């Protein structure tokens, strides 16, 4: 508008120049040239349509000068805008970087404070600019070293400690660069910083973790070592070895056992194998300590890993450097590594003392069971004598009768044969009774057999009848009909029955005002078992949990040792049965146990009843054999035989 009404065009050109400078200063780099061109067009339009143009002889030079000014300023503004664009981009980058960027003057006052510094230190830009940098942040750094480096090299890099606005301390990796003017004079410092606090904390936590792991690893009483079995796996794949072939044949083990390599071992491993230090095992195998059972265990571990398992535990044996054979619980676990089977953690626990203690305990248990059987025999000696005396008296009576029939003028052969049959039956009965008593006292390992459990109960009741009479106790049997044969060790099951009946009889010693009765029930039970219940009407079991009576050294008797029922439980459980105790609703207690009934043909054919183990040198058995032979001869020849001495 001014160009249209004023007569001087060159003066108006300054206004066009202001427009171009405003566009360039606003950072609108791509609009600088269009703005300059627009100003030239407007200036030309003003020249041609202005009313003063025709009257003024200097309008042409004014227009040319104005156009040149506008064109020169536009070009200069475009160049300066182009050069400032990277600076603006760099400034934007400084704002968005996570690192801190601080610019200070020579006095240390803050001139620039980016967003990274705001986030890290907690001070806003308004609070920080103008403040002294090291005072605001309580910087701790080697001042003298920094000044020497800045003066000599113009830069410095290192660590420094500072505090945030909330007072927490941080560690930074700092870098300082001298800021200079056009003449090379120092006008300040540009500083960048990277927070190392989280990294240092992670490093410290990692160091503590490694130290903790190393301490646990080396101070653990359990032997541990880590091995590399990559070559083992490669050989297994190349040879086509399968888990089945490893378990059935150990042909590959002599090769495989040399392919492993130990990464690290702890001190317990050195103590286990009797070596000077765990370091001597690094890079080697443990082949020198292997036993034949070790190779079988190693084959099982390899087979498990080939099947996809991650852990296998076996019990095996090793030989120490001193030549001592030790029992070891050996566990191998696959860990994640660079490749398959590259990290195998192996632990080994010496169980030699445990196994020896177990063997001694089993021997002591066998001795204790034997002692309990002998002790039971002592308590039942009167009943046993009574059982044996009856068949002996019958034998004598039958023998005398047979002699009288033979001495008659006309011998009655039928009566003699009947008497001899009675002698044979009663001698066999006495022989079997003594055989069972002898098997109770023997220390040999008893064998299972098929037998009539109902008959065994009746026999045990007869053995204890004198004891029951002495305690004014009545014993009643409730036997379910049609029961199958039991399959167990007859002597041990009789020991359990006798023990339970004796306990039931003795549990009613202090009972007055009601009959003393022991009821023995035999019935079928699930899973091919038979159940025996021994029930009394005494005072019951004075324990919160009646089944605690089966624990060793727990007894309800004043003079009891607490071992009888513990032995009974061991016997029943060894046969695959279960034993339990419970108090009756009304009075007394019931002790029950189960006995198996089913037996395979192979087992039945390999085991004979203990009664058949009676030896010929038993006098009663010998007499029975002789008399049976005589009876056969009498029946065959039909005539009187002269008495024969045996």
């Amino acid at each position: 508008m001014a160009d249209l009404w004023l007569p001087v065009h060159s003066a108006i050109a300054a206004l066009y120049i202001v427009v171009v400078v405003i566009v360039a200063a606003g950072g609108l780099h791509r609009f600088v040239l269009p703005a300059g061109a627009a100003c030239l067009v407007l200036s030309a339009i003003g020249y041609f349509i202005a009313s003063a143009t025709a009257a003024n002889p200097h309008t042409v030079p004014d227009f040319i000068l104005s156009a040149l000014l506008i064109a020169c300023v536009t070009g200069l503004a475009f160049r300066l805008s182009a050069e400032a664009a990277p600076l603006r981009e760099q400034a934007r980058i400084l704002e968005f970087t996570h690192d801190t960027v601080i610019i200070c003057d020579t006095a240390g006052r803050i001139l620039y404070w980016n967003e990274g510094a705001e986030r890290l230190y907690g001070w806003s830009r308004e609070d920080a600019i103008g403040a002294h940098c090291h005072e605001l942040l309580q910087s701790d750094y080697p001042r003298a070293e920094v000044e020497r480096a800045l003066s000599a090299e113009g830069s410095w890099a290192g660590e420094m400690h500072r505090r945030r606005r909330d007072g927490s301390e941080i560690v930074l990796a700092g870098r300082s660069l001298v800021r200079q003017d056009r003449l090379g004079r120092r006008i300040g410092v540009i500083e960048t910083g990277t927070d190392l606090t989280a990294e240092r904390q992670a490093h410290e936590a990692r160091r503590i973790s490694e130290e903790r792991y190393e301490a646990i690893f080396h101070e653990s009483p359990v032997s541990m070592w880590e091995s590399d079995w990559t070559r083992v796996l490669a050989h297994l794949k190349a040879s086509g070895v399968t888990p089945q072939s490893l378990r059935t044949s150990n042909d590959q083990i002599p090769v495989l056992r040399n392919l492993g390599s130990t990464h690290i071992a702890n001190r317990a491993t050195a103590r286990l194998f009797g070596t000077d230090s765990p370091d001597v095992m690094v890079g080697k195998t443990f082949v020198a300590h292997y036993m034949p059972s070790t190779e079988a265990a190693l084959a099982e571990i390899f087979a498990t890993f080939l099947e996809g398992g991650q852990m296998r535990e076996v019990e095996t044996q090793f030989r120490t450097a001193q030549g001592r054979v030790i029992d070891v619980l050996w566990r191998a676990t696959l860990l994640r590594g660079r490749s398959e089977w590259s990290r195998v953690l192996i632990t080994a626990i010496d169980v030699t003392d445990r196994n020896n203690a177990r063997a001694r305990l089993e021997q002591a248990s066998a001795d204790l069971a034997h002692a309990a059987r002998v002790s039971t025999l002592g308590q039942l000696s009167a009943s046993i004598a009574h059982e044996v005396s009856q068949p002996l008296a019958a034998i004598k009576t039958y023998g005398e009768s047979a002699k009288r029939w033979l001495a008659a003028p006309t011998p009655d052969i039928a009566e003699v044969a009947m008497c001899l049959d009675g002698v044979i039956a009663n001698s066999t009965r006495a022989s079997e009774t003594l055989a069972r008593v002898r098997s109770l006292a023997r220390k040999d390992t008893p064998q299972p057999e098929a037998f009539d459990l109902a008959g065994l109960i009746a026999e045990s009741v007869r053995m204890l009848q004198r004891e029951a009479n002495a305690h004014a106790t009545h014993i009643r049997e409730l036997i379910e009909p049609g029961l199958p044969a039991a399959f167990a060790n007859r002597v041990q099951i009789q020991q359990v029955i006798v023990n339970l009946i004796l306990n039931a009889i003795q549990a009613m010693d202090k009972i007055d005002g009601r009959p003393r009765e022991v009821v023995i029930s035999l019935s079928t039970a699930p899973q091919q078992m038979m159940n025996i219940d021994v029930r009394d009407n005494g005072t019951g079991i004075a324990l919160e949990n009646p089944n605690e009576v089966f624990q060793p050294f727990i007894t309800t008797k004043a003079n009891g040792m607490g071992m009888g029922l513990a032995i009974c439980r061991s016997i029943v459980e060894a046969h695959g049965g279960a034993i339990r105790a419970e108090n009756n609703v009304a009075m007394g207690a019931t002790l029950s146990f189960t006995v198996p009934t089913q037996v395979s043909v192979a087992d039945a054919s390999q085991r004979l009843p203990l009664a058949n183990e009676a030896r010929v040198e038993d006098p009663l058995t010998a007499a029975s054999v002789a008399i049976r032979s005589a009876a056969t001869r009498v029946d065959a020849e039909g005539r009187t035989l002269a008495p024969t001495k045996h």
Side-chain angles (χ1 to χ4, degrees):
M1 295 298 295
D3 205 5
L4 288 175
W5 301 105
L6 295 178
V8 182
H9 292 287
S10 59
I12 304 305
L15 297 178
Y16 290 113
I17 292 173
V18 170
V19 173
V20 175
V21 172
I22 289 175
V23 173
L28 304 175
H29 173 66
R30 63 179 180 275
F31 295 111
V32 172
L33 291 179
C39 290
L40 285 175
V41 171
L42 290 175
S43 180
I45 292 174
Y47 169 75
F48 286 107
I49 67 174
S51 58
T53 300
N56 188 356
H58 305 291
T59 54
V60 175
D62 285 347
F63 171 73
I64 294 173
L65 181 60
S66 297
L68 289 175
L69 286 174
I70 293 172
C72 291
V73 171
T74 299
L76 181 61
F78 180 79
R79 179 180 176 184
L80 293 177
S81 177
E83 293 177 352
L87 296 179
R88 286 192 296 270
E89 186 66 23
Q90 291 173 7
R92 292 182 65 238
I93 293 174
L94 292 180
E95 289 297 329
F96 287 104
T97 182
H98 291 285
D99 293 342
T100 65
V101 179
I102 303 173
I103 300 176
C104 300
D105 59 13
T106 54
R109 288 187 300 272
I110 298 173
L111 302 178
Y112 176 77
W113 182 269
N114 74 337
E115 292 183 3
E118 287 184 335
R119 289 191 298 268
L120 179 61
Y121 297 117
W123 298 92
S124 66
R125 185 170 303 179
E126 292 76 12
D127 295 332
I129 291 179
H132 193 281
C133 180
H134 298 307
E135 292 179 358
L136 178 68
L137 303 176
Q138 303 180 36
S139 303
D140 181 11
Y141 65 102
R143 297 176 185 271
E145 177 186 341
V146 172
E147 287 299 326
R148 284 195 300 270
L150 292 177
S151 300
E153 303 174 6
S155 63
W156 171 83
E159 288 187 5
M160 63 175 64
H161 294 257
R162 284 177 170 170
R163 289 191 178 276
R164 294 189 178 99
R165 187 170 188 172
D166 58 9
S168 59
E169 184 176 351
I170 57 176
V171 182
L172 297 99
R175 181 176 179 84
S176 298
L177 180 66
V178 172
R179 183 166 170 253
Q180 298 176 338
D181 61 9
R182 296 179 179 275
L183 300 178
R185 293 175 298 184
R186 177 176 174 179
I187 59 174
V189 175
I190 302 174
E191 174 197 298
T192 62
T194 303
D195 186 11
L196 301 179
T197 307
E199 180 181 342
R200 288 300 174 87
Q201 290 175 349
H203 176 75
E204 182 66 14
R206 185 166 54 251
R207 183 188 64 81
I208 294 174
S209 176
E210 291 175 354
E211 291 180 354
R212 184 184 299 114
Y213 165 76
E214 184 177 1
I216 294 173
F217 181 75
H218 284 292
E219 299 302 326
S220 172
V222 178
S223 171
M224 292 185 287
W225 66 91
E226 186 180 307
S227 297
D228 182 356
W229 287 0
T230 52
R231 294 199 301 164
V232 174
L233 179 60
H235 181 81
L236 290 173
K237 290 182 176 180
S239 304
V241 179
T242 64
Q244 292 74 19
S245 62
L246 281 172
R247 290 190 172 101
T248 56
S249 174
N250 290 343
D251 295 341
Q252 295 289 336
I253 300 302
V255 177
L256 296 173
R257 67 182 189 177
N258 294 294
L259 298 179
S261 178
T262 303
H263 287 319
I264 185 174
N266 66 348
R267 285 189 281 268
T269 304
R271 292 193 296 269
L272 179 67
F273 292 100
T275 58
D276 297 333
S277 169
D279 296 335
V280 301
M281 303 178 180
V282 175
K284 302 178 181 177
T285 65
F286 290 80
V287 174
H289 303 282
Y290 280 6
M291 299 284 291
S293 63
T294 313
E295 296 190 348
L298 195 63
E300 179 61 32
I301 293 174
F302 291 158
T304 301
F305 287 174
L306 282 177
E307 292 171 340
Q310 299 297 312
M311 187 275 290
R312 188 68 171 93
E313 184 176 281
V314 292
E315 186 168 334
T316 183
Q317 290 182 320
F318 284 100
R319 188 186 302 278
T320 66
Q322 292 73 30
R324 185 170 67 93
V325 177
I326 56 176
D327 298 330
V328 171
L329 187 62
W330 198 18
R331 173 183 288 187
T333 306
L334 278 179
L335 303 179
R336 183 177 300 177
R338 296 184 304 273
S339 57
E340 290 185 284
W341 294 26
S342 63
R343 294 184 63 205
V344 181
L345 179 64
I346 301 174
T347 59
I349 301 176
D350 187 355
V351 294
T352 306
D353 294 340
R354 185 202 68 179
N355 290 349
N356 292 338
R358 178 187 296 173
R360 291 192 296 269
L361 181 60
E362 291 174 353
Q363 182 61 41
S365 177
D367 294 343
L368 186 58
H370 173 69
R373 291 197 296 269
V374 174
S375 175
T376 304
L377 287 176
Q379 297 176 12
L380 303 179
S381 57
S383 297
I384 294 171
H386 176 71
E387 285 291 315
V388 175
S389 65
Q390 289 181 355
L392 289 178
I395 290 171
K396 181 181 179 182
T397 301
Y398 281 122
E400 290 175 349
S401 298
K403 288 178 65 178
R404 284 196 303 270
W405 289 111
L406 289 172
T410 303
D412 192 336
I413 300 303
E415 292 292 341
V416 172
M418 184 186 68
C419 292
L420 291 178
D421 288 339
V423 170
I424 293 171
N426 282 278
S427 62
T428 301
R429 174 185 168 191
S431 177
E432 290 178 349
T433 301
L434 291 180
R436 287 192 294 272
V437 173
R438 185 168 58 248
S439 65
L440 275 171
R442 281 201 306 263
K443 205 172 182 178
D444 300 338
T445 302
Q447 296 295 327
E449 58 179 304
F451 63 93
D452 179 13
L453 185 55
L456 182 65
I457 293 175
E459 179 183 317
S460 302
V461 170
R462 288 196 300 271
M463 293 174 62
L464 296 172
Q465 193 59 57
R466 291 174 62 89
E467 183 76 14
N469 294 338
H471 289 78
T473 301
H474 173 64
I475 302 178
R476 186 157 54 97
E477 302 173 36
L478 298 177
I479 308 298
E480 182 180 305
L483 292 173
F487 185 77
N489 178 258
R490 193 178 192 277
V491 174
Q492 290 186 344
I493 297 302
Q494 187 174 40
Q495 179 183 351
V496 176
I497 295 173
V498 169
N499 197 313
L500 297 184
I501 297 176
L502 277 175
N503 285 347
I505 293 173
Q506 295 169 2
M508 296 183 290
D509 278 343
K510 299 180 180 181
I511 296 301
D512 293 322
R514 64 174 182 269
R516 301 177 181 179
E517 185 180 48
V518 176
V519 180
I520 306 171
S521 304
L522 175 61
S523 59
T524 57
Q527 299 180 352
Q528 300 176 343
M529 306 287 282
M530 284 191 290
N531 187 77
I532 299 98
D533 293 336
V534 179
R535 177 173 179 170
D536 63 70
N537 60 347
T539 58
I541 301 173
L543 293 173
E544 183 177 351
N545 181 8
N547 286 303
E548 291 182 1
V549 296
F550 300 112
Q551 299 296 327
F553 306 113
I554 293 181
T555 179
T556 58
K557 300 178 183 178
N559 300 320
M561 292 179 59
M563 292 305 300
L565 291 178
I567 295 173
C568 289
R569 185 185 68 172
S570 300
I571 293 173
V572 172
E573 291 179 350
H575 286 83
I579 189 168
R580 63 191 181 278
E582 60 182 358
N583 287 316
N584 300 330
V585 176
M587 59 192 70
T590 300
L591 278 78
S592 308
F593 69 97
T594 55
V595 178
T597 60
Q598 293 297 317
V599 58
S600 64
V601 176
D603 289 339
S605 63
Q606 292 174 2
R607 297 181 174 90
L608 297 176
L610 291 176
N612 293 343
E613 296 179 6
R615 294 172 292 184
V616 176
E617 60 265 23
D618 185 345
L620 287 174
T621 305
S624 176
V625 172
I627 293 172
R628 186 181 294 108
S629 176
T632 303
R633 291 166 58 192
V634 167
D635 291 339
E637 299 177 10
R639 59 187 175 85
T640 305
L641 299 176
T644 303
K645 293 182 180 180
H646 291 284

